[in-house]
């Protein structure tokens, strides 16, 4: 039996944590690819984690490189290559610069890892994952965007913080694009099966929904020189692990909708079944008229950004 191989394209803030989590969970050998200027840094991060392995006995190998041929044979490719937000920026402000980067990355992934499962993270997420899909020509089940996992994790965290109950028992879902128009669904949120409106007032729930929508920006403001990286990295590795271990987890993800939720031809956050077949299925829930309107609103924002990509 050979080990799985995980390629991390982009070895910045998120990429470094991804490498550490992959090692801690022994998910597979890791290669981190970044631009030539940053090669020393990613080699350094890989070597640093190589030297951390003996303490807990993580038997995997890590390498840093600026040579895309190193990703050959990867089972999973995770793309964080690009520029993050700074205070005052929207995710859409990153489009021009990150579009150039994703074009280059997509061509290399297509060339060297054509059979991989690809998780795109670079912002603006819904438009960048669409661009990757178009340029790579990958099948739709092999390309997914990570955003819903993070947004839902934030929603869960805030519910746990407000109720004082375990994060483990909070279950909920956030639909839509990765931005302030995202659609958290408090109607479906529960703690241990108990609907949250039995545990929290409407005012508290409204505040949690609002904080979830703005959670990324809250962290960008606090960090002052980049965006969140711990919670995105953990969320991403849940998706990678679901694929590598065929767990068939239901994880809100930016998946290509072809009729689901009345959406056709766009990647947007929906509950996706992730297993050995990649995105195996999109699960649909009945939405209220108000929720449908919110989903339509967030779809229009995604459509506008996708149009701007010109792909
Ligand atoms: P950062 O620490 O700047 O790392 C990005 C890395 O990408 C840097 O090391 C760059 O050198 C590298 N890079 C640039 N061009 C290329 C290229 N052509 N090939 C390989 N590597 C390249 O950023 P970060 O890790 O904090 O964030 C990475 C991306 O994820 C940004 O676009 C963020 O906006 C985005 N992000 C998305 C979410 C979502 O939930 C969707 C959350 C957090 C961050």
């Amino acid at each position: 039996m050979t080990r799985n191989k995980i390629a991390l394209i982009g070895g910045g803030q998120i990429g470094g944590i991804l490498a550490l989590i992959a090692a801690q969970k022994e998910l597979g050998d890791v290669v981190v690819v970044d631009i030539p200027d940053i090669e020393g840094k990613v080699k350094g991060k890989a070597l640093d984690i190589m030297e951390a392995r003996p303490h807990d006995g993580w038997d995997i190998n890590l390498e840093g490189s600026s040579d895309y041929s190193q990703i050959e044979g990867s089972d999973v490719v995770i793309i964080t290559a690009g520029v993050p937000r700074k205070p005052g920026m929207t995710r859409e402000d990153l489009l021009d610069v990150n579009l150039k980067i994703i074009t280059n990355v997509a061509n290399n992934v297509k060339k060297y890892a054509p059979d991989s499962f690809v998780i795109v993270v670079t912002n603006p997420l819904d438009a960048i994952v669409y661009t990757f899909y178009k340029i790579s020509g990958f099948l739709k089940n092999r390309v997914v965007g990570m955003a819903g996992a993070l947004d839902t994790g934030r929603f869960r965290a805030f519910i746990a913080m407000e109720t004082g109950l375990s994060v483990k028992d909070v279950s909920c879902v956030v639909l839509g694009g990765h931005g302030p128009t995202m659609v958290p669904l408090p109607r479906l949120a529960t703690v241990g099966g108990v609907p949250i409106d039995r545990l929290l007032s409407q005012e508290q729930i409204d505040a949690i929904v609002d904080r979830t929508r703005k959670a990324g920006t809250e962290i960008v403001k606090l960090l002052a020189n980049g965006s969140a990286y711990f919670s995105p990295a953990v969320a991403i590795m849940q998706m990678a692990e679901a694929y590598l271990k065929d767990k068939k987890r239901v994880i809100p993800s930016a998946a290509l909708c072809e009729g689901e939720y009345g959406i056709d031809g766009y990647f947007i956050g929906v509950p996706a079944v992730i297993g050995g077949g990649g995105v195996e299925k999109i699960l649909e829930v009945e939405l209220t008229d108000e929720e449908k309107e919110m989903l339509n609103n967030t779809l229009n924002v995604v459509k506008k950004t996708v149009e701007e990509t010109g792909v």
Side-chain angles (χ1 to χ4, degrees):
M1 201 173 126
T2 53
R3 285 186 204 148
N4 289 319
K5 180 170 174 181
I6 300 169
L8 306 178
I9 315 294
Q13 296 281 43
I14 301 179
I17 309 284
L18 288 175
L20 179 65
I21 298 172
Q24 287 175 318
K25 293 191 158 208
E26 291 186 313
L27 288 179
D29 290 336
V30 174
V31 56
V32 190
V33 176
D34 210 300
I35 53 174
D37 282 0
I38 303 292
E39 189 176 30
K41 270 197 183 153
V42 292
K43 278 188 185 299
K45 285 187 185 183
L47 185 58
D48 193 6
I49 300 172
M50 283 292 279
E51 293 165 8
R53 298 171 314 144
H55 302 289
D56 276 335
W58 311 324
D59 284 316
I60 65 151
N61 287 309
L62 299 103
E63 277 171 43
S65 179
S66 62
D67 175 2
Y68 273 94
S69 69
Q70 297 300 309
I71 72 170
E72 203 151 9
S74 294
D75 299 283
V76 172
V77 174
I78 301 171
I79 303 170
T80 61
V83 172
R85 283 194 289 167
K86 295 223 162 64
M89 290 175 89
T90 67
R91 294 174 178 89
E92 285 71 21
D93 290 338
L94 304 170
L95 184 65
D96 286 351
V97 55
N98 285 348
L99 203 54
K100 287 195 191 96
I101 293 171
I102 200 69
T103 303
N104 173 41
V105 172
N107 284 318
N108 279 299
V109 173
K110 183 180 173 179
K111 184 170 174 189
Y112 294 110
D115 300 320
S116 56
F117 176 57
V118 177
I119 303 173
V120 178
V121 185
T122 307
N123 272 318
L125 189 272
D126 307 275
I128 294 291
V129 64
Y130 179 92
T131 305
F132 179 91
Y133 169 71
K134 285 288 178 185
I135 293 175
S136 68
F138 274 34
L139 294 175
K140 67 172 184 175
N141 61 310
R142 302 227 142 245
V143 181
V144 71
M146 190 294 296
L150 172 67
D151 298 330
T152 301
R154 286 169 167 162
F155 193 20
R156 288 175 67 190
F158 299 145
I159 291 170
M161 284 153 70
E162 199 63 26
T163 58
L165 300 171
S166 169
V167 279
K168 201 169 175 182
D169 295 325
V170 181
S171 173
C172 56
V173 58
V174 177
L175 303 179
H178 184 53
T181 59
M182 69 178 73
V183 188
L185 295 178
R187 184 175 61 86
L188 301 179
T190 61
V191 185
V194 179
I196 57 164
D197 62 6
R198 305 293 298 270
L199 304 165
L200 298 168
S201 69
Q202 194 54 48
E203 261 180 10
Q204 286 173 302
I205 294 172
D206 290 346
I208 287 172
V209 166
D210 187 54
R211 191 172 180 192
T212 301
R213 289 200 173 108
K214 298 174 184 160
T217 304
E218 184 180 359
I219 296 208
V220 167
K221 268 192 201 148
L222 289 167
L223 294 179
N225 66 349
S227 49
Y229 46 94
F230 291 116
S231 54
V234 175
I236 294 161
M237 291 318 278
Q238 294 283 312
M239 295 170 72
E241 187 174 21
Y243 171 74
L244 291 168
K245 297 187 179 170
D246 189 25
K247 287 176 79 84
K248 307 205 186 295
R249 290 206 49 202
V250 180
I251 302 179
S253 307
L256 182 69
C257 290
E258 290 181 318
E260 295 90 351
Y261 293 93
I263 297 168
D264 197 17
Y266 290 93
F267 282 80
I268 195 160
V270 286
V273 177
I274 300 186
V279 177
E280 298 184 351
K281 205 176 173 191
I282 291 170
L283 301 184
E284 290 189 79
V285 284
E286 196 64 39
L287 299 178
T288 65
D289 286 347
E290 193 191 351
E291 289 161 355
K292 278 182 194 159
E293 200 183 315
M294 286 193 282
L295 190 59
N296 197 39
N297 183 30
T298 187
L299 175 63
N300 286 335
V301 174
V302 170
K303 279 184 180 170
K304 188 169 169 288
T305 316
V306 165
E307 265 166 37
E308 284 169 27
T309 65
V311 293

